[in-house]
Amino acid sequence: MIIYGWRRKILELATATYLCGQCQNPTAHALRRAVTKLTLFWIPLFPISSKYFTVCTFCGATNKLTKAEAEQVQAMNQPAPQGPVSQQQQQFPQQQQFQQQPPMGRQPYPPSQPFPQQQPGPYQSR
């Protein structure tokens, strides 16, 4: 007895932001690829078909795409190359991002001034 069938796996390729045709909101759309593989005794052997589609993260509407259109969406999502990158930026790219961003919310105290002393409240002992 030979047991055969197929299995579908959905892979998330990219996320792009544009106007949804269904809900008319400028939202993120997830680009996904559904790959159907032939299985023999529950072991996936080779792909039978591959389909590309986007899913609106706001309303859930799906939109079928061709392979060429999916490659265009992926190309839109990739950042443009910037100038030469230093050795430190290659090793720790997250640290460079956080150092360049301005602080949000309250401004930090200047290093020359000490932190203000807290006055004890009515329920704290002195």
Side-chain angles (χ1 to χ4, degrees):
M1 178 192 320
I2 296 177
I3 300 173
Y4 66 94
W6 61 87
R7 179 179 300 167
R8 181 172 290 151
K9 188 171 186 179
I10 298 176
L11 307 167
E12 182 134 351
L13 302 176
T15 303
T17 303
Y18 55 89
L19 189 66
C20 179
Q22 183 73 26
C23 64
Q24 301 299 319
N25 287 315
T27 60
H29 288 72
L31 175 63
R32 296 180 179 166
R33 177 181 175 199
V35 179
T36 305
K37 292 186 177 184
L38 178 71
T39 60
L40 183 62
F41 294 105
W42 300 282
I43 299 171
L45 296 177
F46 55 88
I48 298 172
S49 71
S50 177
K51 296 177 184 175
Y52 295 91
F53 59 97
T54 59
V55 179
C56 176
T57 56
F58 188 77
C59 67
T62 59
N63 195 16
K64 291 184 183 178
L65 300 176
T66 63
K67 185 175 182 178
E69 292 171 336
E71 289 173 353
Q72 286 179 345
V73 171
Q74 275 186 308
M76 280 181 9
N77 193 34
Q78 293 177 351
Q82 297 177 2
V85 178
S86 69
Q87 181 73 17
Q88 185 180 11
Q89 285 177 335
Q90 288 177 351
Q91 292 175 352
F92 307 106
Q94 293 86 10
Q95 287 182 353
Q96 294 299 323
Q97 270 185 340
F98 291 123
Q99 289 176 358
Q100 293 172 358
Q101 294 176 352
M104 298 187 64
R106 295 185 289 171
Q107 295 294 326
Y109 287 105
S112 61
Q113 294 177 352
F115 286 99
Q117 298 296 322
Q118 292 183 345
Q119 298 296 324
Y123 299 109
Q124 295 178 345
S125 62
R126 292 186 184 217

